[in-house]
Amino acid sequence: VRYAFAAIATVAAFLLRVGLARYLGPPYILFYPTVLLAALLGGLGPGILATALSAALAAFWILPAERQLPQMSLRESVSLAAFVVIGLLMSTVAHLYRQARDRVAQNERDLLSREALESARRREEEALRRYETLFDKAPFAIALTKMPEGTTVSVNAAFLGLFEYARDEVVGKTSVDLGISDAGARAEVAAELQRLGSVRDFECTRTTRSGAQRALSLSADRIVMGGQDFVLTSVQDITARRRAEAALRESEARLNTIVENISEGVAVSGLDGQLLHFNRAALDLHGFSTLEECRRHLLQFADLFELSDLDGTVLAVSQWPLSRVLRGESLRDVEVRVRRKQPAWQRTYSYGGTLVRDADGQPMMGVVTMRDVTERRRAEEELREKNDELVRFTYTVSHDLKSPLVTVRTFLGYLERDFGKGDEATLREDFGHIRTAADRMSRLLDELLELSRVGRKVNPTVQVPLQLVVGEALDLVAGRLSQRGVKVEVTREPVVLEGDRPRLVEVFQNLLDNSAKFMGDQVAPRIEVGVEMSGGEPVLFVRDNGIGIDPRHQQKLFGLFEKLEPGSDGTGIGLAQVRRIVQVHGGRIWAESEGRGHGTCFRFTLAGTSWERSQEASA
Amino acid sequence: MTKGNPVTILLVEDDLAHAEIVRRNLAAFRVANRIVHVADGQAALDYLFHEGDHAGAAASPRPDLVLLDLRLPKVDGLEVLRRIKADAALRLLPVVVLTTSAAEQDLVQAYSNGAGSYLVKPVDFDKFTKLMEAFGFYWLAWNRFPD
């Protein structure tokens, strides 16, 4: 291009010179700038080409046309030569100038590119340092390993801290070399990596330099750098978390074991009253065998249970202990009678309970505890009765035993005073008072002694048919029965009693004697001994058609030394004794009468009574 | 005797021998046939309130004094005392307790419930005689009863 330009410029200059020949003087006037231009723009070669071409054109076309001579003059030759020399010089100078100019430009360019490189390098170094810092200071352990060998290329400070190594001990080694993991464990991770390309939150155990086992959560990714395969692994130490979890699990298990094995019942309910859990004791206390049975709403418990306070007032579900707890009350030692409807039983439970709140104090659930205080209650009741008896006993010593003494001493005084007066009728009457009082005292003492013995069972517990026991009792009271002409009817139901046989006989003996004694003016005295089912247990009864008992006085009936009939020859011990025997045999006794003239029915239970009931009897 | 009308005593005593002793001792004061004897607490209430066997006021004239034992069949003496003192018509009726019990609680209960006097039956002929004599003089000769 440069040479073509030089040639075209020369030809253009030539044509211009020829066209303007008339006005232009020296023949080379237009060739000089052309050569200079060609050399400046094109360099040495084009400069020489323009010089040579200009010289040739001048020699063959311009000079001959102007002088019309075939031969060049000396002057023309010298001028041509001078033109050629000057043209060559100009080309050379222009060439040198060009070279110098290019070198300067090159130098400038070189300088610029070095600075750029330097700053780029600095930036790179900065970035690298930043990444190295990030890598090194990361709060979790990181390792870069080369694959497939698995040799460590780089690890961060956390890694060294975790596994207790120095950096130079690690680089170039595999985790198996270091004993951090065994070949099997590493293969497991490698297989996972192979399959998925990455591993996330893989939980495993690894060994540190000192041999400590650490629980770790491991994540790994395959990466390619410079055509090389690497694995970048990050590791989090979850030993503390694992330990805390294990401790929590252990404490939960321990708590659970305690809750399941304490004798106190524990029931847990949602705030809506839906029962969630019963411990074993609670299941037993409710007569449930599986947890499913307890998982119902509180309201549904009313289908199965009836709760009442100790006075017997039935409690609405809203007054049940759990309802009160769910309303925010904290309960302690709330005693409630619990009656299950089917199968029927009744016990007394002492309830406690409170709401369980979360860390923010918001209620989460209700917890109610219960324990069976039936026996304690019964024992307390018995103790109270015994105590009352003791009080009455002391009282009796000062009254009932003193009374006959007063009679004896006083009438002895009358006898002494009136002996000489010869009023035989009065003397006889006085002796009668003394005898009655002495007899009464003697009987009182005998019966007191007897009473002190019935507090305990003295004979072995046996099983004996009801009819045998009643038969024995009938023999003992035969005298009074025949004297009053009482007809006795005994059930034929196959009832078997269990207990101290002579004591059981005493129960019937006393009840039969009592009935016979209080027949009043009944013309057809009758006593019925029988059994019936009530509240799920056999209840025995001795029913008469005698004078009956005023309902107002029925509660005094079984009290020690309590007598309802002032004229009777009783001491007020018989029925107290009957009650004591029944209680010792785990039973209860009560009297029913619609009042005077309506007869009396004594009903009682005895633990261990069995009745192979016939269908007719239950109907 | 200072009083125009002879005094009527309601004797509430379940021990027939004791009732006889009281009757003999008060004979000197000529009230023997003005002693009404009932043998239990319920009978005493029936008499006083004209119920049961004593229905009809005519059959059971109001006594001037009640001589009351504490340990009684059916309704005990303290309950009888409470019922008397709780009744508007009977509360002014003097009640003298005559019992074998020297128990402090009986004494306190009797006075708290409005007993006018508390006498313990002595276990000695002479003392009993003297007690009844003093009782007779005090209650039957000197004491004034409300109308």
Side-chain angles (χ1 to χ4, degrees):
Chain A
V1 175
R2 286 181 299 152
Y3 288 96
F5 171 75
I8 290 163
T10 308
V11 172
F14 166 69
L15 292 174
L16 197 61
R17 175 64 185 81
V18 172
L20 298 173
R22 259 182 298 184
Y23 313 102
L24 296 175
Y28 306 110
I29 191 141
L30 288 179
F31 289 125
Y32 285 116
T34 305
V35 169
L36 187 62
L37 199 64
L40 275 175
L41 296 176
L44 184 61
I48 291 170
L49 176 65
T51 305
L53 200 54
S54 300
L57 288 169
F60 291 99
W61 298 99
I62 300 165
L63 294 177
E66 286 182 2
R67 64 180 158 81
Q68 276 129 33
L69 284 174
Q71 237 95 53
M72 242 193 294
S73 66
L74 182 63
R75 191 176 142 251
E76 283 172 338
S77 300
V78 169
S79 119
L80 182 63
F83 169 74
V84 170
V85 169
I86 289 165
L88 287 175
L89 270 171
M90 278 166 55
S91 294
T92 304
V93 167
H95 175 70
L96 290 173
Y97 165 74
R98 266 178 61 103
Q99 274 189 334
R101 194 195 59 190
D102 284 355
R103 238 189 333 270
V104 166
Q106 184 62 46
N107 280 351
E108 278 180 355
R109 271 204 302 277
D110 284 358
L111 196 64
L112 279 171
S113 76
R114 244 201 324 276
E115 274 177 359
L117 277 174
E118 182 67 18
S119 93
R121 197 178 56 78
R122 267 203 306 276
R123 274 202 303 277
E124 267 170 28
E125 275 176 4
E126 184 74 21
L128 196 59
R129 254 203 310 284
R130 200 177 300 142
Y131 287 120
E132 272 180 353
T133 307
L134 275 179
F135 177 77
D136 204 43
K137 302 287 186 209
F140 46 90
I142 308 174
L144 184 66
T145 47
K146 189 158 170 287
M147 295 311 278
E149 308 90 307
T151 48
T152 307
V153 177
S154 183
V155 294
N156 69 349
F159 184 96
L160 297 171
L162 175 59
F163 292 104
E164 305 162 27
Y165 284 100
R167 201 174 297 273
D168 54 0
E169 291 172 320
V170 175
V171 174
K173 304 270 179 49
T174 69
S175 59
V176 178
D177 295 340
L178 293 168
I180 288 175
S181 101
D182 58 45
R186 200 168 75 96
E188 202 182 341
V189 180
E192 192 83 337
L193 259 178
Q194 189 66 39
R195 201 162 62 81
L196 301 168
S198 68
V199 171
R200 286 284 168 269
D201 304 324
F202 178 82
E203 296 192 357
C204 54
T205 306
R206 295 288 184 261
T207 312
T208 71
R209 185 187 195 174
S210 66
Q213 298 282 311
R214 313 295 294 183
L216 306 174
S217 170
L218 188 148
S219 294
D221 290 278
R222 284 170 59 182
I223 52 176
V224 178
M225 289 191 295
Q228 276 276 1
D229 263 348
F230 293 92
V231 170
L232 185 67
T233 308
S234 65
V235 177
Q236 268 185 300
D237 186 358
I238 54 170
T239 310
R241 197 174 79 197
R242 277 272 169 283
R243 213 169 277 159
E245 282 169 1
L248 187 65
R249 265 199 305 277
E250 197 181 311
S251 113
E252 268 181 4
R254 200 181 306 139
L255 195 64
N256 203 41
T257 308
I258 293 170
V259 168
E260 285 307 311
N261 290 290
I262 51 172
S263 59
E264 194 144 315
V266 178
V268 180
S269 130
L271 295 176
D272 57 355
Q274 172 67 41
L275 270 298
L276 304 172
H277 186 73
F278 271 32
N279 72 347
R280 204 168 304 154
L283 289 176
D284 290 347
L285 288 171
H286 286 78
F288 291 152
S289 49
T290 65
L291 260 182
E292 277 58 49
E293 289 178 82
C294 83
R295 292 204 174 110
R296 56 179 80 206
H297 194 272
L298 185 55
L299 291 171
Q300 292 172 297
F301 272 78
D303 301 340
L304 280 179
F305 296 95
E306 182 185 82
L307 270 60
S308 51
D309 64 18
L310 296 184
D311 302 333
T313 312
V314 175
L315 299 175
V317 177
S318 63
Q319 287 306 314
W320 285 15
L322 181 56
S323 299
R324 292 170 61 187
V325 163
L326 292 176
R327 282 199 299 272
E329 256 185 273
S330 279
L331 304 183
R332 248 186 112 105
D333 301 329
V334 176
E335 294 197 353
V336 172
R337 289 227 169 87
V338 177
R339 189 171 73 80
R340 182 163 171 158
K341 296 172 184 173
Q342 199 55 253
W345 48 253
Q346 178 170 306
R347 314 283 297 169
T348 305
Y349 293 164
S350 172
Y351 284 91
T354 187
L355 278 178
V356 177
R357 295 173 188 276
D358 64 14
D360 300 326
Q362 290 301 309
M364 291 160 65
M365 56 191 171
V367 171
V368 161
T369 62
M370 69 219 74
R371 69 181 187 277
D372 191 343
V373 293
T374 314
E375 294 310 319
R376 201 191 70 197
R377 274 260 141 223
R378 188 175 293 169
E380 281 173 3
E381 192 65 30
E382 207 171 295
L383 190 66
R384 203 168 19 246
E385 278 168 14
K386 290 244 168 75
N387 203 42
D388 288 351
E389 265 179 23
L390 192 66
V391 169
R392 250 196 313 268
F393 184 85
T394 323
Y395 192 87
T396 305
V397 171
S398 74
H399 185 280
D400 289 35
L401 285 178
K402 206 170 137 192
S403 273
L405 202 57
V406 169
T407 306
V408 170
R409 296 279 295 262
T410 307
F411 281 99
L412 277 176
Y414 283 128
L415 280 175
E416 274 173 356
R417 201 185 64 188
D418 302 338
F419 197 69
K421 294 180 183 169
D423 183 351
E424 202 180 318
T426 309
L427 293 182
R428 220 177 272 286
E429 190 190 325
D430 293 356
F431 276 123
H433 283 306
I434 291 169
R435 193 179 303 109
T436 306
D439 286 352
R440 196 170 127 69
M441 213 162 166
S442 161
R443 199 166 52 241
L444 205 58
L445 289 171
D446 284 349
E447 290 186 9
L448 274 175
L449 196 64
E450 178 64 15
L451 187 69
S452 74
R453 278 202 296 259
V454 299
R456 50 190 196 276
K457 284 189 208 174
V458 284
N459 303 297
T461 296
V462 293
Q463 293 194 325
V464 53
L466 171 71
Q467 288 75 9
L468 284 187
V469 175
V470 176
E472 243 179 87
L474 283 171
D475 289 345
L476 292 168
V477 295
R480 201 194 285 273
L481 290 175
S482 65
Q483 185 192 330
R484 241 348 236 104
V486 181
K487 273 175 80 177
V488 179
E489 197 180 300
V490 182
T491 179
R492 294 218 185 107
E493 285 295 322
V495 177
V496 177
L497 309 180
E498 189 182 270
D500 180 337
R501 182 167 172 166
R503 295 281 175 246
L504 295 177
V505 170
E506 272 179 61
V507 169
F508 285 98
Q509 180 193 344
N510 269 299
L511 293 177
L512 291 167
D513 188 53
N514 197 74
S515 287
K517 203 190 291 180
F518 298 111
M519 276 302 173
D521 49 10
Q522 176 62 252
V523 288
R526 208 169 62 82
I527 300 175
E528 188 190 347
V529 178
V531 64
E532 58 199 16
M533 281 309 272
S534 173
E537 59 183 336
V539 176
L540 301 154
F541 64 84
V542 175
R543 181 160 41 212
D544 65 50
N545 58 353
I547 60 174
I549 308 162
D550 190 327
R552 290 174 295 180
H553 311 138
Q554 280 172 17
Q555 77 273 20
K556 276 188 102 175
L557 207 54
F558 297 98
L560 186 58
F561 306 119
E562 295 286 6
K563 280 167 60 182
L564 291 188
E565 293 304 317
S568 79
D569 59 356
T571 50
I573 289 179
L575 289 179
Q577 186 176 335
V578 166
R579 184 174 65 168
R580 175 94 47 101
I581 295 171
V582 167
Q583 283 173 344
V584 165
H585 284 78
R588 292 170 290 127
I589 183 163
W590 65 100
E592 290 171 3
S593 173
E594 287 172 17
R596 287 195 76 92
H598 291 90
T600 306
C601 182
F602 284 96
R603 291 177 195 275
F604 60 102
T605 62
L606 293 168
T609 300
S610 64
W611 179 13
E612 302 291 327
R613 189 153 52 125
S614 59
Q615 283 309 305
E616 309 86 84
S618 64
Chain B
M1 278 172 280
T2 52
K3 197 170 182 250
N5 298 318
V7 176
T8 303
I9 298 174
L10 177 66
L11 173 63
V12 191
E13 174 61 78
D14 66 322
D15 190 315
L16 302 179
H18 290 192
E20 176 62 18
I21 297 169
V22 171
R23 211 195 307 271
R24 285 190 192 183
N25 276 294
L26 296 184
F29 296 91
R30 281 172 275 163
V31 287
N33 51 4
R34 314 263 330 158
I35 294 177
V36 179
H37 173 224
V38 290
D40 66 69
Q42 187 59 52
L45 291 173
D46 287 349
Y47 181 91
L48 290 167
F49 291 96
H50 315 299
E51 287 165 357
D53 294 343
H54 300 278
S60 49
R62 187 179 186 278
D64 299 296
L65 176 69
V66 178
L67 196 49
L68 183 67
D69 192 4
L70 289 187
R71 262 191 66 76
L72 293 168
K74 296 183 186 175
V75 178
D76 76 18
L78 286 174
E79 180 59 22
V80 172
L81 180 57
R82 267 191 284 273
R83 296 275 294 275
I84 291 171
K85 294 300 170 186
D87 185 78
L90 293 174
R91 70 192 166 82
L92 296 180
L93 178 59
V95 177
V96 172
V97 172
L98 179 64
T99 175
T100 46
S101 170
E104 179 73 11
Q105 61 172 54
D106 280 341
L107 198 118
V108 171
Q109 290 272 339
Y111 278 115
S112 332
N113 284 291
S117 184
Y118 190 100
L119 307 172
V120 179
K121 295 172 188 168
V123 192
D124 182 281
F125 172 70
D126 288 335
K127 283 183 183 162
F128 208 153
T129 308
K130 283 208 172 74
L131 170 73
M132 290 320 292
E133 200 175 309
F135 168 84
F137 272 113
Y138 181 87
W139 284 100
L140 306 179
W142 298 109
N143 190 62
R144 307 286 303 254
F145 295 96
D147 289 324

